[in-house]
Structures are given as C-alpha cells and as structure tokens.
Amino acid sequence: AGARPPAPVFFDAYSKAQLQKVLLRERPPEADERLYSNFVASILPMYVATCRSLHELRALLQPLWRVYVEPWERARARAALEDANEDEKEKEKEKEEEKETPRRESEDAVPTKAPGQGSRTKLPEARQLFAMLQSGLVAAPGTGDASEGAERARGGA
C-alpha cells in the first residue's frame, strides 16, 4: 500500500580493543576489577579471530569466568580463615601472658598490636592461578581433590 521496504543498515564489527572495553564495562558486580581485566585480556585474543559477536562472547565468558575465579576465591577464603585462626591464637597467647605477668598501668594504655594485623597470607596473582590451574596444582571445578598439588605448591613433600 505504498510503503517502501526497510533499508538495511550495516555496522562494522567491533575491533578487539572495542570488544575489550565493552566487556570490561559489563564486569560482574562482585568481580575484582583488576582480576576481571586480566581475565578478559587473557581470554579475548583466543576468540576474537573467530568471533566478534558481543552476544556470543558474553555467553562464552560467563562460565569461563566462574572457572577462572574459583581458585582465587578459595585462596581468599583460606587466607581469611588463617588470619582468623591466627588472631584467635594471638588473643589466647595474650590471655595466658596476662595471667602469668602482672600488668602495669602504662601497658594498659598502649595496645601491642592493632586488631586484624596478623601476618597475612599473600594471595597468588591471576597469572599464577591460571598457571596453577593449567599445570594441575589446583583442581578445576568438578575434577576432584587438589590437596596433593597444593602440598607441592607449598613446598611440602
């Protein structure tokens, strides 16, 4: 009835830099910015030659991100648990020392250590985690126990 057919409009595909910029803006809210940036920078070059669709890349990166970040989250949880245990042991030790030695008033005014300042376990960087995952030192999700590999990584027998 006199209507013209719609004219198709074509856009160029995203460049690698544009894809990376868009994907970084869409990082999961709970994700560490630096860790996610390293993840996108390491994964994107493998797929950009064959896929430049932002929708397909989003669908591809989502499950890979979970696998990539899991060892990091476990290391953070383990470090937090170790810090809590260490703080608890320090408090017990301080209580035992208080029972053994009488306090002076000057000692009451100055704390010996601020809370939560125990020796911290250094968390591995993203590249180290990726290398450990690839070498089998850390088990991928659903593959079983990696305690043997973790023991080797700590320098144990």
Side-chain angles (χ1 to χ4, degrees):
R4 293 185 185 179
V9 178
F10 297 99
F11 295 96
D12 291 335
Y14 284 119
S15 69
K16 179 182 168 187
Q18 290 170 328
L19 282 170
Q20 187 168 1
K21 189 174 182 179
V22 171
L23 290 169
L24 288 176
R25 284 185 180 176
E26 297 177 349
R27 90 178 143 88
E30 71 280 354
D32 179 69
E33 185 175 345
R34 187 171 157 211
L35 185 63
Y36 194 74
S37 175
N38 289 339
F39 166 71
V40 171
S42 64
I43 298 294
L44 192 59
M46 290 186 266
Y47 296 102
V48 77
T50 57
C51 175
R52 297 218 176 203
S53 166
L54 186 57
H55 299 293
E56 290 178 13
L57 285 170
R58 282 182 193 134
L60 177 72
L61 292 181
Q62 186 179 17
L64 291 176
W65 168 248
R66 284 190 230 116
V67 172
Y68 183 86
V69 80
E70 188 174 335
W72 176 264
E73 289 174 344
R74 280 189 298 202
R76 287 179 73 188
R78 186 175 31 232
L81 181 62
E82 288 174 4
D83 283 346
N85 288 339
E86 186 175 302
D87 288 344
E88 204 172 287
K89 288 178 184 177
E90 286 178 12
K91 287 179 184 177
E92 288 176 11
K93 187 177 179 181
E94 288 174 4
K95 285 181 183 179
E96 289 176 12
E97 288 175 359
E98 286 177 8
K99 290 178 184 176
E100 293 174 4
T101 59
R103 279 183 142 187
R104 294 186 306 224
E105 288 183 29
S106 62
E107 289 178 346
D108 291 340
V110 180
T112 57
K113 192 178 246 186
Q117 284 189 345
S119 63
R120 299 231 177 241
T121 304
K122 184 170 175 24
L123 294 175
E125 291 295 323
R127 291 181 186 161
Q128 291 172 333
L129 283 171
F130 186 72
M132 290 169 60
L133 183 63
Q134 293 298 318
S135 66
L137 291 177
V138 177
T143 60
D145 189 316
S147 59
E148 181 180 312
E151 187 65 30
R152 283 189 305 210
R154 283 191 292 247

